[in-house]
């Protein structure tokens, strides 16, 4: 019956084309949405790397990155003097998003002000082109994240102007996020007092980035600091992960709602076309039944036909996902995209194959049921 | 000799709201192996109803119908489908070929409806289809789609399709109703040739000219008159 279904399908090209395009668009949309979701998850999870091995001392109820948190510098100094804290490596830090600096991908440039000499607390593992320390540099010296550098077309040694302020770029970090960029990639690291000036937050800080002293583990430092400061939050990698998961799950629900919608629309679409087909073929189906074709074979014929269409459309859709995704990136201002590269995360691919199969089968079921209700006697009368 | 088709006291009653329409009213019929039977009668007299019943497309409301030694009057839909596939060849007034399939595929198609040992493999199915097409003189049209054929040619394909499973008999409901005089003559001649090979033919017709050398059954108001 598969070969007959294929011949039927070829005989009605425009109808088939409609279905194929329908499934193609469905797979393309779902695939792209899932790709974005996947990279976002990857990227945000990657952000956790910047929290790894340290604690963020913050105002209660704030998360990571610690934008909403405001602390007095005196409190910061007090925290730095606690025995759980490695004073040499830990630092007060002011995080603030620079207004009017939204990049095409929706992120703003983040100012990170910290005590010169303690850049490692934030930069950690990033490789820096140029200098990685603000010590002995001009008051307006900055170390830039990769995406921030791209946005301002900055090179090491140059002076750039952002919101009427001039900065001397002394170092540029390599990109930290794989795929989706991380907060660190959008950062401009500078001296704390400079950051306080620019964001008009004198004597204020957002957080203390804490590296535990040698007699404490991350865990024990967190518990013991929390005991000392019950009204503040001590954010660890686990806490950051929770915040990120919470944010992600909302996005995930939203994206999956979009997916479900696209999915249902395309099933209804193909089902509709297949119902038209069945109606149109009443006489043929009746003839087949009259000359002894079993109901099961008729059912197979219809389902095969809708499967053929959804598989062809689905495969074209899958092939197009990568280029479309790259094109999206290009429109969003990413550079260095390799259009010949073809990549779909295996998990997304499996999801899509299941979707293609389900669309093909489900959209054929109702039409097949209708086809089986055709009485051969009535159909033979049908003109 | 026992009849190949034997109907006893066949009734077919359609209920339309409150009124009942009796398409057949206790009709008896016997057709023997190798016969060529023409069923004639006025419009609405029940010819198609009878033919559909003999063709296992329908069952009588009352009465008994045997095909060979199988009682079809109380068979399930599944069994009736098997009977149609294995024992009966159909020819329709409007040809009813499958438009997406070539002539060869149309003739090969009924063999797919067979099951188990009866079903030949693809190679043998194609071989058999070509053999029957040669019989009806359409060897040079095998790769055509039905839309490219004349009415007479289409009906030849339909005859080949009806013959391909070597059925017990062939049923034709006004096979020449959509054909001109010349094509009609050719089709009737072909049906006689098929009959001469030993095939039983039961045909419904309005046209007296198509009934020479056949046993004529006249049906009126749901019963056979002669
Ligand atoms: N499904 C049905 N429901 C109700 N009445 C029906 C149905 N099928 C057939 N009839 C009636 O049964 C009677 C016999 O119909 P049938 O089709 O057998 O006639 P026929 O002899 O083949 O006529 P024609 O020469 O016009 O084809 C008609 O009165 C018809 O209206
Ligand atoms: Mg009739």
């Amino acid at each position: 019956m598969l070969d007959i279904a294929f011949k039927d399908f070829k005989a009605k090209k425009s109808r088939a084309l409609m279905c194929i395009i329908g499934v193609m668009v469905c797979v393309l949309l779902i695939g792209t949405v899932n790709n974005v979701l996947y990279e976002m998850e990857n990227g945000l999870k990657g952000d956790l790397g910047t929290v790894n091995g340290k604690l963020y001392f913050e105002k209660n109820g704030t998360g990571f990155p610690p934008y909403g948190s405001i602390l007095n510098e005196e409190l910061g100094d007090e925290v730095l003097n606690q025995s759980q804290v490695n004073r040499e490596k830990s630092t007060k830090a002011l995080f603030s998003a620079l207004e009017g600096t939204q990049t095409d991908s929706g992120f703003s440039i983040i100012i990170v002000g910290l005590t010169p000499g303690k850049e490692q607390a934030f930069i950690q593992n990033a490789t820096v082109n140029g200098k990685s320390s603000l010590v002995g540099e001009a008051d307006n010296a900055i170390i830039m994240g990769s995406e921030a550098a791209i946005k301002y077309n900055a090179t090491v040694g140059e002076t750039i102007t952002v919101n009427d302020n001039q900065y001397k770029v002394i170092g540029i970090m390599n990109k930290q996020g794989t795929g989706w960029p991380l907060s660190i990639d959008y950062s401009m690291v500078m001296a704390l007092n400079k950051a306080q000036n620019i964001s008009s937050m004198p004597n204020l800080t957002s957080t203390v980035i804490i590296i535990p002293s040698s007699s404490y583990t991350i865990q024990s430092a967190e518990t013991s600091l929390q005991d000392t400061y019950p009204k503040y939050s001590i954010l660890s990698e686990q806490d950051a992960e929770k915040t990120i998961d919470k944010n992600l799950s909302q996005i995930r629900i939203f994206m999956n709602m979009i997916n479900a919608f696209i999915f249902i629309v395309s099933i209804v679409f193909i089902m509709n076309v297949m119902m038209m087909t069945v109606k149109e073929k009443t006489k043929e189906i009746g003839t087949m039944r009259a000359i002894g074709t079993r109901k099961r074979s008729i059912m197979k014929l219809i389902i095969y036909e809708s499967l053929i269409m959804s598989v062809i459309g689905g495969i074209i859709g899958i092939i197009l996902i990568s280029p479309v995704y790259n094109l999206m990136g290009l429109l969003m201002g990413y550079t260095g995209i390799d259009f010949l590269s073809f990549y779909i995360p295996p998990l997304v691919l499996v999801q899509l194959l299941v979707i293609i199969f389900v669309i093909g089968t489900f959209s054929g079921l109702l039409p097949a049921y209708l086809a089986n209700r055709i009485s051969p006697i009535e159909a033979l009368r049908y003109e | 000799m026992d009849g190949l088709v034997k109907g006893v006291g066949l009734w077919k009653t359609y209920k339309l709201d409150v009124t009942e329409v009796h398409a057949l009213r206790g009709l008896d019929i016997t057709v023997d192996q190798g016969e060529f039977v023409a069923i004639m009668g006025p419009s609405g007299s029940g010819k198609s109803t009878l033919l559909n019943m003999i063709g296992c497309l329908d069952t009588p409301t009352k009465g008994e119908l045997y095909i060979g030694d199988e009682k079809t009057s109380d068979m399930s839909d599944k069994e009736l489908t098997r009977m149609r596939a294995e024992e009966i060849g159909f020819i329709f007034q409007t040809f009813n070929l499958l438009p997406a399939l070539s002539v060869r595929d149309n003739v090969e198609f009924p063999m797919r409806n067979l099951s188990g040992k009866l079903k030949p493999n693809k190679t043998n199915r194609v071989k058999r289809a070509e053999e029957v097409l040669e019989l009806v003189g359409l060897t040079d049209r095998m790769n055509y789609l039905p839309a490219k054929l004349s009415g007479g040619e289409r009906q030849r394909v339909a005859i080949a399709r009806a013959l391909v499973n070597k059925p017990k008999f062939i049923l034709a409901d006004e096979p020449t109703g959509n054909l001109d005089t010349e094509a009609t003559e050719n089709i009737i001649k072909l049906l006689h040739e098929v009959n001469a090979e030993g095939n039983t033919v039961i045909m419904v017709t309005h046209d007296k000219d198509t009934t020479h050398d056949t046993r004529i059954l006249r049906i009126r108001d749901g019963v056979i008159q002669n």
Side-chain angles (χ1 to χ4, degrees), chain A residues 354-365:
Chain A
V354 171
I355 286 173
I356 291 168
F357 184 77
V358 171
I359 291 179
T361 328
F362 270 68
S363 55
L365 276 181

Side-chain angles (χ1 to χ4, degrees), chain A residues 104 146-147 149-151 153 175 179 326-339:
Chain A
D104 297 326
S146 58
E147 298 294 324
I150 288 169
K151 175 163 165 84
N153 217 351
K175 189 171 171 170
N326 284 337
L327 195 69
M328 252 173 59
L330 194 71
L331 294 178
M332 279 164 69
Y334 287 97
T335 48
I337 291 167
D338 178 8
F339 268 93

Side-chain angles (χ1 to χ4, degrees), chain A residues 378 381, chain B residues 14 16 21-23 41-50 173-174 206:
Chain A
E378 298 299 325
R381 237 197 283 272
Chain B
Y14 295 106
L16 293 173
V21 178
H22 302 288
S43 187
S45 55
K47 304 182 294 294
S48 295
T49 305
L50 174 63
D173 198 344
E174 302 190 40
H206 272 121

